[in-house]
Amino acid sequence: MPVVPTALERVVLLGLNRGPGATLDLVGAAGARAVATAIDLGVFEALRDGPLSLPELARATGTDEAGLSVLVGFLDRLGYVTRHRDLVENTPMTTRWLVAGETDVGPWLTFWNDLVFAFWDAHLETAVREGAPPQTIYEWFDEDPERWRAAQSGFLGAARVVVPEFVRRTDLGSAHHLLDVGGGHGLFAAAFCRAHPGLRATVFDRVPALDLAREVAAAVGVSDRVQSREGDYFRDDLGSGYDVALVCNVLHAHTADENRRLLARVADAIALDGEVVVLDQFGGSAPTSLGQTALAFEDLNYLVTLGGHTHDAADVSEWLTDAGFGPPARTDLRTVPGVSVLRARRAA
């Protein structure tokens, strides 16, 4: 968990400026690396069924007992495990969010540690000096299919946090056929199908993503109603006659002109009176300090990895209107500050 200073430490470090507050970021950065390493080593999974002694945990994870003891000590202080005498166990937060299951965000953390921050190491300074990296992170993924596999697993981990509220607050009514544009891992399509027994879905994306989408549909129990369609959503046929189209975490990867073109293609694929549902991070949309900081973080990440940035909801609304949709309705998700949903119905 984030390093939370005591009230006295906040006064000294942040109020009176008597100590370097930047040390909090340093410890936090080290904490993220330590947690990702623990995930890779299987520490939290080994503790899934209950506490283990340190020797037992070392044997289960194939690690040196003395080295593991130091890692466990740091994880204990961070709040990921607790250590009682010789026993180590997961905290409730770890059990909910970092152990395999429907709420496991571990792959999202390891995705950042293994791929995104490696890309930052190579291109952060260049992106700031020149306004863009020499290649996008997606182009870098293309050089090694295993990177795409890890990336899609990471995207899936992030989606697990958003999908319950997203599905609960997005009633698709009597829709029969859903198009998930750039649907990647396919969790959004699968979750809507599970929530709407009469719904079937088509996940449209490139090959590296679709293998995972099929696995997710099977795991959710809707593989008979979720199909894959391979292609480039800027060039290839999306199909037609859909009742609703999802465009989730896609727009931030593209320029305004590209998004106008994409949304026009989506409108053409939707039946009259169908609707589009856009989920993304929109600039200026977060009401809380945490949400605003998260959006600023995403803005920097999109600069470094894509040469892009978060788009304002007002701009996306204009693109939707220009594409032939009516005025969109907006829902700000509470689960992840800064993430919002825009829904717009295709004009007759």
Side-chain angles (χ1 to χ4, degrees):
M1 292 189 292
V3 180
V4 180
T6 66
L8 177 60
E9 289 168 335
R10 286 196 296 272
V11 170
V12 172
L13 294 175
L14 307 178
L16 299 177
N17 198 25
R18 296 292 181 84
T23 56
L24 297 176
D25 290 321
L26 178 62
V27 176
R33 301 298 295 267
V35 172
T37 299
I39 294 170
D40 286 339
L41 292 173
V43 171
F44 304 134
E45 280 297 319
L47 298 171
R48 169 197 283 271
D49 296 327
L52 296 175
S53 68
L54 191 64
E56 290 171 332
L57 184 58
R59 286 194 295 271
T61 56
T63 57
D64 175 76
E65 184 178 335
L68 180 63
S69 178
V70 177
L71 177 63
V72 164
F74 190 27
L75 295 173
D76 182 15
R77 295 308 308 163
L78 292 171
Y80 288 92
V81 302
T82 55
R83 188 171 182 176
H84 306 287
R85 300 185 180 88
D86 190 41
L87 291 180
V88 182
E89 65 179 328
N90 289 333
T91 63
M93 184 274 294
T94 296
T95 297
R96 179 174 184 183
W97 298 109
L98 296 177
V99 172
E102 290 194 357
T103 59
D104 179 17
V105 300
W108 178 237
L109 300 184
T110 55
F111 161 70
W112 274 87
N113 186 63
D114 299 341
L115 294 177
V116 181
F117 285 138
F119 197 84
W120 277 44
D121 288 343
H123 303 303
L124 172 59
E125 183 175 340
T126 299
V128 172
R129 287 185 180 276
E130 300 180 8
Q135 64 176 163
T136 70
I137 198 169
Y138 297 150
E139 291 168 337
W140 184 61
F141 292 163
D142 285 338
E143 296 173 3
D144 183 350
E146 287 304 311
R147 291 174 185 162
W148 266 120
R149 176 76 182 186
Q152 289 296 341
S153 295
F155 298 154
L156 173 61
R160 289 185 178 123
V161 180
V162 176
V163 74
E165 183 184 1
F166 180 32
V167 172
R168 185 177 68 252
R169 300 181 67 185
T170 308
D171 183 6
L172 299 185
S174 59
H176 295 292
H177 196 181
L178 175 149
L179 170 67
D180 192 357
V181 181
H185 47 72
L187 180 61
F188 294 126
F192 275 110
C193 283
R194 180 167 59 182
H196 298 269
L199 183 68
R200 59 191 175 92
T202 297
V203 179
F204 190 100
D205 212 323
R206 299 169 61 197
V207 170
L210 296 181
D211 287 343
L212 184 57
R214 285 186 281 268
E215 292 176 17
V216 168
V220 174
V222 293
S223 56
D224 59 327
R225 291 188 285 128
V226 177
Q227 65 177 0
S228 302
R229 187 170 182 139
E230 175 192 348
D232 181 325
Y233 47 60
F234 283 116
R235 291 191 291 268
D236 297 319
D237 182 20
L238 299 176
S240 62
Y242 301 100
D243 301 299
V244 60
L246 303 181
V247 183
C248 299
N249 294 318
V250 169
L251 299 187
H252 64 245
H254 303 295
T255 66
D257 288 343
E258 289 171 335
N259 285 328
R260 287 179 185 275
R261 182 156 54 94
L262 175 59
L263 292 173
R265 301 196 80 223
V266 171
D268 288 340
I270 297 175
L272 290 177
D273 203 37
E275 67 173 338
V276 65
V277 180
V278 178
L279 178 145
D280 219 310
Q281 304 91 44
F282 299 119
S285 65
T288 66
S289 176
L290 173 60
Q292 292 162 10
T293 302
L295 281 174
F297 170 49
E298 290 291 6
D299 237 7
L300 178 59
N301 181 50
Y302 296 151
L303 168 69
V304 178
T305 59
L306 300 169
H309 58 85
T310 55
H311 299 292
D312 290 340
D315 292 333
V316 179
S317 298
E318 179 183 329
W319 304 337
L320 288 167
T321 301
D322 291 345
F325 294 98
R330 175 173 168 177
T331 302
D332 295 329
L333 299 187
R334 305 183 186 96
T335 308
V336 182
V339 175
S340 300
V341 177
L342 294 178
R343 298 181 66 175
R345 193 162 294 279
R346 183 180 173 188

